[in-house]
Amino acid sequence: MSGPNAAVGERLAQDYAAGFVTDIESETLPPGLNEATVRFISGKKSEPAWLLAWRLQALARWRKMTAPQWAHVTFPPIDFDAISYYSAPKQGPKSLDEVDPELLRTYEKLGIPLHERAALAGVETPQVAVDAVFDSVSVVTTFKEKLREAGVIFCPIAEAVRECPELVQKYLGSVVPQSDNFYAALNSATFSDGSFVYVPKHTRCPMELSTYFRINAANTGQFERTLIIADEGSYVSYLEGCTAPMRDENQLHAAVVELVALDDAEIKYSTVQNWYPGDEQGRGGIYNFVTKRGACLGARSKISWTQVETGSAITWKYPSVVLRGDGSVGEFHSVALTNNRQQADTGTKMLHIGRDTKSTIVSKGISAGRSQNAYRGRVLMNPGASGARNYTQCDSLLIGDECGAHTFPHIESRTPEAIVEHEASTSKVSDEHLFLCAQRGIDAEKAVSMIVNGFCKEVFRELPMEFAVEAGKLLEVSLEGAVG
Amino acid sequence: MLRIENLHANAGDEPILRGVNLVVRPGEVHALMGPNGSGKSTLANVIAGRPGYDVTAGSVSLDGVDLLALPPEERAQQGVFMAFQYPIEIPGVSNMEFLKAALDSRNAAQGRPELSAVQFLKLARAAAERLGLGPEFGKRGVNEGFSGGEKKRNEILQMLLLEPRLALLDETDSGLDIDSLGTVAAGVNAFAGEDNAIVLVTHYARLLEHIVPDHVHVLVAGRIARSGDKSFALEIEAKGYGWLTAPA
């Protein structure tokens, strides 16, 4: 390549550190999706009849639906009968001591502190309770006892179905209905595990809660389901991280996350998504088709989504907030970075229903290589939403001249008493910027990292400290080779 | 310390420099003048290593080090500094962050210890104040929303902090009002010393009333047509460039 941005355009192989495969004995369902598949999954979890019926209903709905075509992404049609819907490590663990050591080594490699002892020993590190989901099942949840003292329930969702069925039955599908969209329906029929959180009234969850998702098995989809309920006046901060091995074929990840905040409750949900993005030519990588939505049911409740999206071949994801309670607050802070042949279509929906509801959207898209990066947002002010306000800021940064940035904001105000603001900008890292930095002794890698970090500063500030550091490093690694 | 011999360089396919010879010694101030398109800015850019120029013949060395063999960041670390004619913005990266990164790179390359944040802030604030850049300056993005004068002062600030061996000032006087010109010139004069040298690229003798050169060179068609002392600049101001032709 030549031309004015030759230095920026040149790129090398990207280094994906989490790309290893764990050699572990697992029980994997043969590919295919039908009623028997759903019954098998439900049976594996010894689920009650209502949940099986719920799943079967979702399957019936899914069969009548078609995959959404409106996103600014292209990929060959997915053969849903070629995917295995269940894979679990054979050795079912009861406690940390029984966990397959190979699995522990996997999480160690990923830098996830599963050993409670290690975390407890580190006086300076804040305590983080971890639920680890390996392929289709949750393998271990830490700090359960400590959380139980505070009355917080944090466990695999399969366990929550057994332990507190009334909460699960009440809220499962209440925020993201089965027929919300094609992938949500698929998830409702086939979800195999995920995390469940309940924070009781007037309780501040004593530590950060965290789930790490790992897809390991080949030809497997991961369909986890997360449900978080913050009761009146409670607070919880939840972190989610994800990785997958490097494989030549594409793998599907279709998760559903539902958040419920009652009166005066606050949920802070942070994601660092680093699914395998595929190689430079666009071979392999995860299809990340995820539905995330929070309902601010209660007055003065608050839900904030913060996401740093660096992985996946294709990202299709719109963490949203339904602002039902009067005076409730929704926030969306996003950094989405695409490199090589990655495609991202991500953004949010803020649906203002209650009075004096407020939402803030800050979206930072970074495109490098030959990637395509789209922000898609919807802000709706319902007739009853008097005094509602939205502020949207949507910035794109282009690195090189073969990538694309797109913005699709949809704003719909049905009340004259609401205020909606939208600001957008596009900037570019050019050879001129790199030469300016080089002339001051700063090499290209450092310069790009400095510019990108500056660009994302506003969003990184929203992340819990240890995640912010991780996110900064992740961007650096993901951009490796983006400049020559 | 700077030695340029028979330097030929193209911009794209077009030959711009056609055999430049120049020697600059420590403690000297050189002014490079000449009509538009004569190659003044190209010479500064080629020394600094800006992409887009091909050196087809000749050599450039600083303290015996072959600059042309080094990427631009290493030339900078060797002590080459260029104040840009059109300083560009780097949105989102604060001036202080940028200055610290630049200083850290230089210190690391020259085996000097890294400055602590406190030491650095003290140094940077004092220099900024000297150039009339207010306290908010540090937090603002690099050149973001700066006036023309502020951008040029920011270039001089970077020079003061980085203490280069060789400062190339590319039309630093252009776009400055008389007050800013005075401030910038005072900054340059404060920098000038026995251990460094300055090459000023300028159109106007006006700057040379503030920064007094030891040598004045006029570039015509990619070669130094004639050199002289300070009085030569005044002669040019009076007579223009037309009477000077490129040497055969």
Side-chain angles (χ1 to χ4, degrees):
Chain A
M1 209 196 102
S2 64
N5 280 301
V8 169
E10 227 172 87
R11 71 208 121 255
L12 309 160
Q14 168 173 326
D15 192 11
Y16 183 73
F20 56 87
V21 179
T22 306
D23 189 9
I24 202 161
E25 252 200 291
S26 58
E27 180 181 19
T28 304
L29 205 59
L33 179 55
N34 50 43
E35 266 195 38
T37 322
V38 172
R39 284 179 194 280
F40 174 86
I41 295 168
S42 187
K44 267 279 155 195
K45 313 267 170 197
S46 318
E47 285 177 355
W50 68 264
L51 190 49
L52 175 60
W54 193 79
R55 286 176 179 276
L56 290 171
Q57 187 183 35
L59 181 68
R61 285 180 164 154
W62 177 73
R63 283 198 170 132
K64 291 186 198 128
M65 298 170 87
T66 49
Q69 300 294 328
W70 43 261
H72 191 82
V73 295
T74 51
F75 58 97
I78 298 171
D79 180 358
F80 290 92
D81 281 322
I83 296 170
S84 167
Y85 289 83
Y86 187 85
S87 175
K90 239 180 197 164
Q91 237 179 317
K94 297 276 182 304
S95 76
L96 204 60
D97 299 336
E98 290 176 36
V99 172
D100 188 327
E102 194 61 35
L103 199 58
L104 284 183
R105 271 193 290 276
T106 299
Y107 283 104
E108 232 169 67
K109 268 196 237 176
L110 295 169
I112 301 159
L114 280 184
H115 287 278
E116 301 185 16
R117 231 176 317 143
L120 285 165
V123 185
E124 282 170 62
T125 30
Q127 291 180 1
V128 178
V130 178
D131 186 18
V133 176
F134 195 81
D135 288 337
S136 300
V137 292
S138 172
V139 285
V140 64
T141 310
T142 63
F143 286 113
K144 261 188 186 171
E145 283 312 310
K146 184 149 195 236
L147 290 166
R148 200 163 292 158
E149 278 168 38
V152 175
I153 303 170
F154 177 40
C155 65
I157 199 156
E159 193 179 312
V161 170
R162 293 192 295 272
E163 307 287 326
C164 35
E166 63 295 333
L167 279 172
V168 178
Q169 195 165 5
K170 183 171 177 189
Y171 290 110
L172 186 73
S174 71
V175 186
V176 179
Q178 288 181 345
S179 51
D180 185 80
N181 68 71
F182 183 79
Y183 299 108
L186 179 65
N187 174 286
S188 300
T190 61
F191 76 89
S192 41
D193 221 330
S195 300
F196 175 84
V197 178
Y198 172 76
V199 189
K201 284 181 187 172
H202 310 295
T203 302
R204 198 180 162 87
C205 185
M207 61 183 76
E208 308 268 358
L209 302 183
S210 160
T211 298
Y212 271 86
F213 294 103
R214 173 81 179 165
I215 299 177
N216 188 60
N219 296 316
T220 309
Q222 192 176 48
F223 307 94
E224 87 272 358
R225 186 120 194 159
T226 300
L227 177 58
I228 299 176
I229 302 152
D231 213 328
E232 291 171 23
S234 68
Y235 170 85
V236 62
S237 169
Y238 184 92
L239 321 172
E240 178 199 75
C242 356
T243 56
M246 292 159 79
R247 294 190 186 279
D248 284 342
E249 73 275 14
N250 296 105
Q251 283 180 283
L252 179 63
H253 174 252
V256 170
V257 176
E258 295 179 284
L259 312 182
V260 177
L262 302 179
D263 284 357
D264 300 296
E266 180 177 348
I267 302 173
K268 190 172 166 55
Y269 194 107
S270 313
T271 304
V272 173
Q273 186 263 107
N274 184 26
W275 294 119
Y276 177 54
D279 67 12
E280 288 157 85
Q281 270 74 46
R283 278 186 303 253
I286 301 292
Y287 289 166
N288 192 35
F289 301 159
V290 169
T291 307
K292 290 183 167 179
R293 194 173 304 153
C296 283
L297 289 187
R300 298 167 304 278
S301 55
K302 178 176 175 182
I303 290 178
S304 65
W305 298 101
T306 303
Q307 61 171 21
V308 176
E309 304 278 310
T310 62
S312 296
I314 302 178
T315 300
W316 180 94
K317 177 181 167 187
Y318 316 90
S320 306
V321 185
V322 182
L323 296 147
R324 204 172 283 279
D326 290 346
S328 58
V329 176
E331 287 178 3
F332 174 74
H333 302 273
S334 170
V335 167
L337 181 148
T338 52
N339 195 4
N340 296 321
R341 305 278 182 133
Q342 281 177 276
Q343 307 175 58
D345 193 299
T346 185
T348 185
K349 285 190 281 189
M350 291 291 173
L351 308 176
H352 293 253
I353 296 165
R355 277 181 298 167
D356 300 318
T357 46
K358 291 196 170 36
S359 64
T360 306
I361 299 170
V362 178
S363 164
K364 304 273 180 180
I366 303 154
S367 326
R370 301 172 72 170
S371 66
Q372 295 293 328
N373 200 325
Y375 166 81
R376 187 182 302 278
R378 178 158 190 246
V379 175
L380 171 72
M381 299 294 186
N382 251 24
S386 57
R389 281 193 85 133
N390 163 264
Y391 171 73
T392 300
Q393 185 193 330
C394 202
D395 299 323
S396 305
L397 182 68
L398 299 167
I399 301 174
D401 41 22
E402 289 181 281
C403 52
H406 315 270
T407 307
F408 306 102
H410 299 266
I411 298 165
E412 195 180 336
S413 187
R414 299 183 192 159
T415 169
E417 288 163 87
I419 300 170
V420 182
E421 289 172 84
H422 184 98
E423 282 181 33
S425 76
T426 302
S427 42
K428 195 173 164 180
V429 179
S430 66
D431 276 8
E432 289 293 293
H433 288 112
L434 297 187
F435 178 62
L436 166 59
C437 291
Q439 215 306 298
R440 301 302 185 248
I442 304 164
D443 66 36
E445 294 275 340
K446 169 85 183 117
V448 168
S449 144
M450 189 169 69
I451 293 169
V452 166
N453 272 293
F455 180 73
C456 302
K457 215 181 295 172
E458 260 177 286
V459 173
F460 285 177
R461 262 204 302 262
E462 297 296 321
L463 287 171
M465 179 89 91
E466 57 275 40
F467 249 40
V469 174
E470 191 183 322
K473 280 189 197 144
L474 192 55
L475 287 193
E476 238 161 81
V477 171
S478 301
L479 277 170
E480 232 158 62
V483 288
Chain B
M1 59 183 226
L2 176 71
R3 179 173 288 274
I4 301 173
E5 285 175 355
N6 190 33
L7 185 64
H8 286 70
N10 294 358
D13 292 332
E14 199 189 338
I16 307 286
L17 301 181
R18 304 160 189 259
V20 174
N21 293 289
L22 182 67
V23 174
V24 178
R25 293 173 193 84
E28 290 181 347
V29 176
H30 289 239
L32 215 51
M33 302 181 75
N36 288 332
S38 60
K40 309 183 293 291
S41 287
T42 297
L43 180 58
N45 280 313
V46 167
I47 297 170
R50 185 192 284 269
Y53 297 95
D54 292 321
V55 173
T56 51
S59 66
V60 179
S61 66
L62 182 69
D63 297 321
V65 175
D66 176 10
L67 287 183
L68 300 180
L70 301 177
E73 62 270 23
E74 287 177 28
R75 297 186 198 191
Q77 291 159 2
Q78 286 289 327
V80 176
F81 178 92
M82 178 166 164
F84 290 90
Q85 184 178 0
Y86 303 110
I88 57 168
E89 298 183 6
I90 310 181
V93 177
S94 75
N95 281 298
M96 284 304 180
E97 199 182 341
F98 180 72
L99 286 171
K100 179 83 163 55
L103 214 50
D104 286 350
S105 297
R106 185 208 64 182
N107 286 341
Q110 299 185 353
R112 299 200 222 172
E114 189 171 310
L115 289 182
S116 74
V118 176
Q119 288 170 315
F120 165 74
L121 274 179
K122 221 171 137 185
L123 202 67
R125 281 198 186 129
E129 210 168 300
R130 193 148 94 198
L131 290 162
L133 294 163
E136 310 83 50
F137 157 83
K139 288 182 194 153
R140 289 164 69 186
V142 176
N143 292 325
E144 209 176 344
F146 279 29
S147 70
E150 280 178 317
K151 285 182 183 174
K152 294 295 174 81
R153 279 187 266 170
N154 194 8
E155 296 293 293
I156 300 305
L157 170 64
Q158 292 166 38
M159 179 184 77
L160 290 176
L161 285 177
L162 289 168
E163 300 174 310
R165 182 98 164 117
L166 171 71
L168 307 162
L169 309 184
D170 190 5
E171 305 209 12
T172 295
D173 53 332
S174 70
L176 289 184
D177 60 35
I178 192 73
D179 293 338
S180 293
L181 184 66
T183 312
V184 163
V188 175
N189 286 328
F191 162 75
E194 287 309 307
D195 283 335
N196 57 43
I198 298 169
V199 175
L200 300 166
V201 173
T202 183
H203 264 298
Y204 306 106
R206 174 178 84 149
L207 178 67
L208 307 179
E209 290 165 18
H210 297 269
I211 306 167
V212 181
D214 302 298
H215 301 274
V216 176
H217 314 278
V218 170
L219 230 69
V220 177
R223 287 185 187 187
I224 291 178
R226 201 169 142 176
S227 301
D229 61 9
K230 191 200 164 196
S231 60
F232 181 40
L234 299 173
E235 193 181 346
I236 294 161
E237 183 91 325
K239 292 159 74 175
Y241 295 115
W243 57 286
L244 293 163
T245 50

